[in-house]
Amino acid sequence: MRRWELVEGGSAGFREAGGPASSAGFPDEDAFVLPEAWREHVLPRRRGGVPVSLPEWWPVVDAAAVAEAEDLHMTRPHRAIEQVLTAPGSDPGVVAAVRAYRAGTPDPVGLAVVTAMVRDWHDPDWAERSFAGWTVRFGLGLAVRAALVSLEVDTSHLQAPHGQRARVTVRDLDSPYAPDPGFDLRVLAAARRALAAAPEPEHAAVVAELAELRDTPVRRAATSFLLPERTEWVDECLAELSGHTAAVTRLLRALLLPALGSAGQARRWDAATRGVWLYWTPQLVATLADGVGPAAVPLVAEVLGHYGSEGDRVREYAEYVAEFPTDAAMGELVDRIASRAVRPVLLETVRRFPVRAVRVLSAAARRGGPAPAAAAVRHLLNGHVAVLRSRLPEILPTLDEESAAYVRGLEGRGIRCPRRRRSGCPRCWSTRRGRVGGPSASRGCWPSRRSARRSNCSGRRVSRRRSRPPSTAPGTTRRTSAGRRRCATPRRTAGPASAAGCWPSPRRS
């Protein structure tokens, strides 16, 4: 079983312990470092008790201005807040907490509900701004407790439809109609950032307070979300993850997945929660990768199956998988080589990890499978071997005996790949309508002279014996029996190519 270890004690720097040796002269293909584009999405965790600085965009608020704006909103002449508190459907306990808070008692439930009442629905940073306001007014401890109880209070009815009175209630977590906790999770994420950046004495005091509040499965999962470095808390939550209603299970998953901090916890999660849906955001993927490194591959790859084989969402998750330097990650992409959304990502991955590509593609080619996909894998491997022909003596010793024998028998191994053209695309590779082309076995990289036509790298079939005369170049005109006719518009050129092929990269939406 593979084991990945943190290197240099840093964030998201992992290396496989006892993994395959890297070939001399090739880049290191086994170390995982969190991509720079992911770092801004990571929810931080304290490693070794070292505080993590707040991001540059963290809001700076004035306590007096926040209190003044709240009082102004709560004392408006139309007394809309009072109507909410006196509505027949409002929960008496929540109403009492709001009234206590308005009377001057620092009640976390009242603070969370009043903040929801005065919420600015057009402010995209409202969750972070609200938590920053709680902290400067009441301290980090009360702010974290308010974020924790916000999961238990239902403020979704404050925007009541026509003919109904707005109200505040307790969230029914077991109901399939429970409101989406997405906004409350954003408040918890802000609390996690603030806790990770807190000085040690203040951090220790808040941890002691949270330890006294872990009396329900949801609260235990929420405290693990806030303090992922408390691995014993996360293990306890994983042990009780099953046996709940679907709504509670979804909430527990959303809270616990960003708290995972080891490959062992990731394996336990993978075994216990398959088939339960969860929306994966860039923040979730980046945070999980920061916590468990390449052990996140099975969890992220599983999401691909929920979106079918095509579409922007498939391309997005395929790019997530491609960032992990493991055979399993590349194997997930190879298994989906028939997908037009995954194919460009696979080619870029083959270019980045050439030695791993020989190992994974040869294993997949020997394994076989559906005829079109198996042929595509073999063609891709054949072209990749042709490009790396001079480096094969360094690569073959890293393969097992069966894979090495298979690679030695490929026709691409004895083909000298011609010099790349300006586009960076080897002439021996082509694609047409999403299908992979490969080197011909009969006459090197080119088909035999008996073939009257060939496919060029853009996927367009052109005559081998004669080329288009200058008079018929795109944008020119020529005379026909029907008069002067303008030629077709220029075709689009192929996108960036890898060393193993030249599928055009699709445009991002």
Side-chain angles (χ1 to χ4, degrees):
M1 182 177 296
R2 285 189 161 191
R3 180 167 57 90
W4 293 80
E5 300 174 338
L6 275 172
V7 295
E8 299 179 359
S11 174
F14 293 84
R15 178 179 294 280
E16 184 181 3
S22 299
S23 299
F26 285 96
D28 187 359
E29 298 187 2
D30 296 324
F32 172 70
V33 178
L34 196 73
E36 193 63 33
W38 291 15
R39 295 186 181 277
E40 62 178 336
H41 299 291
V42 172
L43 293 179
R45 64 181 69 209
R46 295 166 78 103
R47 288 185 166 93
V50 179
V52 181
S53 302
L54 288 171
E56 296 181 357
W57 50 263
W58 189 257
V60 178
V61 298
D62 180 75
V66 173
E68 182 181 356
E70 181 183 287
D71 289 336
L72 179 64
H73 191 97
M74 296 292 289
T75 56
R76 284 179 177 175
H78 55 74
R79 299 181 63 79
I81 303 300
E82 188 64 27
Q83 293 178 13
V84 172
L85 299 180
T86 57
S90 292
D91 182 80
V94 177
V95 171
V98 173
R99 294 195 183 281
Y101 169 75
R102 291 298 299 159
T105 302
D107 185 278
V109 175
L111 175 60
V113 173
V114 168
T115 305
M117 289 179 174
V118 301
R119 174 181 176 181
D120 182 1
W121 295 87
H122 302 289
D123 185 1
D125 300 325
W126 190 85
E128 294 79 11
R129 196 177 304 280
S130 297
F131 187 85
W134 295 350
T135 303
V136 298
R137 293 175 63 192
F138 304 106
L140 182 60
L142 183 62
V144 171
R145 282 186 284 137
L148 184 66
V149 301
S150 65
L151 288 172
E152 304 170 0
V153 180
D154 185 2
T155 58
S156 62
H157 299 291
L158 291 176
Q159 300 291 323
H162 180 71
Q164 298 184 19
R165 291 188 63 177
R167 62 191 185 278
V168 289
T169 61
V170 175
R171 191 189 302 267
D172 184 5
L173 296 175
D174 293 323
S175 171
Y177 306 104
D180 180 22
F183 177 77
D184 303 307
L185 292 176
R186 282 190 57 191
V187 177
L188 272 178
R192 173 165 166 169
R193 291 185 184 276
L195 267 174
E200 186 57 35
E202 187 177 18
H203 181 270
V206 176
V207 171
E209 292 181 24
L210 292 177
E212 300 296 328
L213 299 175
R214 303 181 69 253
D215 53 356
T216 66
V218 172
R219 284 192 175 187
R220 285 192 285 272
T223 53
S224 296
F225 175 93
L226 292 170
L227 299 166
E229 57 271 15
R230 297 297 297 266
T231 57
E232 69 278 11
W233 289 3
V234 180
D235 290 334
E236 180 184 356
C237 293
L238 289 174
E240 62 178 8
L241 188 55
S242 59
H244 305 283
T245 62
V248 172
T249 302
R250 282 195 298 268
L251 179 57
L252 295 178
R253 281 171 55 86
L255 291 169
L256 288 177
L257 198 56
L260 300 182
S262 68
Q265 291 177 345
R267 285 192 295 270
R268 291 177 61 190
W269 175 281
D270 187 38
T273 60
R274 282 192 179 277
V276 182
W277 174 254
L278 181 68
Y279 178 68
W280 288 64
T281 62
Q283 182 184 81
L284 181 56
V285 175
T287 303
L288 181 62
D290 178 70
V292 304
V297 170
L299 303 179
V300 181
E302 187 180 1
V303 185
L304 284 170
H306 290 290
Y307 289 104
S309 60
E310 303 296 342
D312 293 339
R313 187 70 72 181
V314 175
R315 169 72 180 264
E316 176 185 354
Y317 288 114
E319 290 176 344
Y320 291 153
V321 173
E323 291 292 343
F324 295 99
T326 67
D327 290 7
M330 184 176 289
E332 294 286 351
L333 302 180
V334 172
D335 291 343
R336 295 169 173 83
I337 193 172
S339 169
R340 289 177 296 178
V342 175
R343 210 176 296 149
V345 182
L346 173 59
L347 284 178
E348 175 61 20
T349 308
V350 169
R351 184 193 65 81
R352 289 175 56 200
F353 306 114
V355 178
R356 173 171 287 110
V358 175
R359 183 167 63 246
V360 174
L361 289 173
S362 60
R366 289 188 295 106
R367 186 170 61 247
V377 171
R378 180 182 173 87
H379 287 168
L380 178 56
L381 174 61
N382 200 24
H384 186 56
V385 170
V387 173
L388 296 176
R389 184 179 63 88
S390 62
R391 309 295 300 274
L392 285 180
E394 306 169 44
I395 299 175
L396 291 177
T398 67
L399 306 179
D400 58 81
E401 294 182 3
E402 294 181 355
S403 297
Y406 186 87
V407 172
R408 290 189 186 97
L410 289 174
E411 58 268 27
R413 183 174 179 268
I415 297 173
R416 182 179 180 183
C417 188
R419 180 176 58 86
R420 293 188 187 183
R421 299 186 296 176
R422 291 183 179 179
S423 63
C425 178
R427 287 192 176 189
C428 61
W429 274 90
S430 65
T431 57
R432 180 168 61 88
R433 296 181 182 178
R435 292 197 295 268
V436 184
S440 170
S442 62
R443 193 177 175 84
C445 288
W446 298 105
S448 65
R449 293 183 180 274
R450 296 179 182 179
S451 176
R453 309 187 70 182
R454 66 177 174 84
S455 294
N456 65 2
C457 286
S458 67
R460 185 169 182 166
R461 296 184 67 84
V462 298
S463 173
R464 179 165 177 77
R465 291 176 297 180
R466 52 184 294 185
S467 59
R468 182 196 297 260
S471 61
T472 60
T476 63
T477 59
R478 64 179 180 179
R479 187 174 299 280
T480 65
S481 58
R484 295 173 64 86
R485 186 178 73 179
R486 190 168 184 83
C487 294
T489 56
R491 58 179 171 82
R492 289 187 297 175
T493 58
S498 74
C502 56
W503 279 302
S505 57
R507 294 177 298 176
R508 291 181 176 270
S509 59

